[in-house]
Amino acid sequence: MKHLKVHYFQHIAGEGFGSCGTYLKSMGAQLSATEFFALPLDRSLEIEALPNIEDVDLLIIMGGTMSVNDEANFPWLKMEKRWLRRYLATGKPAIGLCLGGQMIATALGANVSRNPEQELGWTTVYKTPSVQKDCFQLPDELEVMQWHSETFEIPKGAVRLAENAVCMNQMYQIGKNVLGFQFHPEITPEVLRLFIDNEEHDQVFQGPYVQSFNTLKKSKSEQFNASNQLLNRAIDYVLQSQKRSQSLSQLKIEKEC
């Protein structure tokens, strides 16, 4: 039996895989990761150091505290984008979470820039009314964890799936194999504690849409569960695209024989 090979791009230490790691392990998936945070900042990354695209069945790009535009301070960003363009060109499944969603967008030529307001904490996002029935389906509204200063433009050919008044572009879909999130559906109590510890030290978030840490520390389990279940469905959705592609390829081979 062939095991699903899932590769993560991880940008900050200690973040782990969030809820999706547990879900994928329950499916018997083999997990591997590229830890960009462990690379020396004074050395650029060679593309050969990244995994062979043929060895990845699903790519998940995690969040991070850096900007996708800060290639001067994080030189590996340029190589990550280059590898991403090659991977996405194959039509394989990919999911981007917060910085990860921004990475996919910028790799495909969309702009990533400062959002008018910072978002931090539990907020509500809304399903975009014009989303077609054959797209990934969201509930009409959903409470999610936000932790971002920047935002992505919707890449050319993509569909906006979710929005709110503070940040218009909350989620997008490319084909049926790529989903990009601005928020953090993978959030768990452990990941939230890590985020809070980092922010309490750095103090870079402020404004009317930044929730207090005292409030966040009282988060209830059902708040995490709804987002985690959404991410599980997202994983299933993009993996179905791979199964459809493989079935079509097999059918073509059989017709040619």
Side-chain angles (χ1 to χ4, degrees):
M1 179 180 176
K2 183 180 181 295
H3 288 281
L4 178 71
K5 296 180 180 179
V6 182
H7 193 78
Y8 288 82
F9 280 172
Q10 191 175 350
H11 303 102
I12 58 174
E15 182 180 20
F17 305 142
S19 67
C20 45
T22 302
Y23 182 64
L24 287 163
K25 287 176 183 176
S26 73
M27 297 166 57
Q30 295 178 346
L31 309 182
S32 59
T34 298
E35 298 177 336
F36 290 102
F37 62 85
L39 298 172
L41 294 180
D42 59 350
R43 181 171 60 85
S44 61
L45 176 68
E46 297 297 329
I47 201 163
E48 290 77 15
L50 295 175
N52 291 324
I53 290 174
E54 295 76 16
D55 295 333
V56 179
D57 299 320
L58 168 63
L59 176 71
I60 299 182
I61 312 165
M62 307 302 290
T65 55
M66 65 288 298
S67 167
V68 301
N69 300 311
D70 196 3
E71 295 177 359
N73 290 318
F74 302 93
W76 43 261
L77 281 168
K78 185 179 294 185
M79 193 55 64
E80 182 178 359
K81 294 171 191 175
R82 181 180 169 192
W83 189 94
L84 263 176
R85 282 190 287 271
R86 292 185 181 183
Y87 179 86
L88 295 170
T90 68
K92 286 190 169 188
I95 291 176
L97 307 173
C98 197
L99 178 75
Q102 296 172 0
M103 285 296 296
I104 293 174
T106 193
L108 296 177
N111 189 44
V112 174
S113 60
R114 186 85 174 183
N115 195 58
E117 297 284 355
Q118 293 178 314
E119 280 191 296
L120 187 157
W122 295 106
T123 65
T124 302
V125 298
Y126 302 90
K127 177 182 177 181
T128 302
S130 59
V131 172
Q132 301 297 313
K133 291 183 178 180
D134 61 343
C135 289
F136 179 74
Q137 293 299 306
L138 295 165
D140 290 339
E141 59 183 72
L142 180 71
E143 188 181 37
V144 299
M145 176 58 64
Q146 304 277 8
W147 212 287
H148 69 101
S149 298
E150 296 188 322
T151 186
F152 46 68
E153 289 182 351
I154 301 299
K156 184 178 180 180
V159 177
R160 181 193 291 117
L161 299 178
E163 57 193 52
N164 71 12
V166 183
C167 179
M168 178 58 69
N169 298 328
Q170 291 285 351
M171 186 177 175
Y172 63 84
Q173 171 176 340
I174 303 172
K176 296 188 183 298
N177 61 301
V178 178
L179 291 171
F181 295 80
Q182 183 55 79
F183 51 93
H184 285 275
E186 85 287 3
I187 197 74
T188 63
E190 294 76 19
V191 173
L192 179 57
R193 280 194 292 270
L194 170 71
F195 284 6
I196 291 173
D197 289 345
N198 287 341
E199 173 56 20
E200 281 183 321
H201 178 266
D202 296 334
Q203 291 291 315
V204 297
F205 280 81
Q206 54 187 309
Y209 304 100
V210 175
Q211 235 166 12
S212 74
F213 296 133
N214 286 335
T215 298
L216 292 179
K217 289 173 182 177
K218 298 175 184 177
S219 298
K220 298 178 180 179
S221 59
E222 53 264 30
Q223 291 176 284
F224 299 94
N225 293 339
S227 287
N228 296 166
Q229 290 169 11
L230 174 70
L231 181 54
N232 293 348
R233 289 202 301 109
I235 290 171
D236 291 340
Y237 183 86
V238 297
L239 287 178
Q240 280 298 319
S241 74
Q242 186 179 49
K243 292 178 181 178
R244 286 191 294 268
S245 177
Q246 290 172 343
S247 297
L248 289 173
S249 296
Q250 184 60 38
L251 182 61
K252 182 179 179 181
I253 291 171
E254 291 173 355
K255 286 183 176 179
E256 291 174 348
C257 291

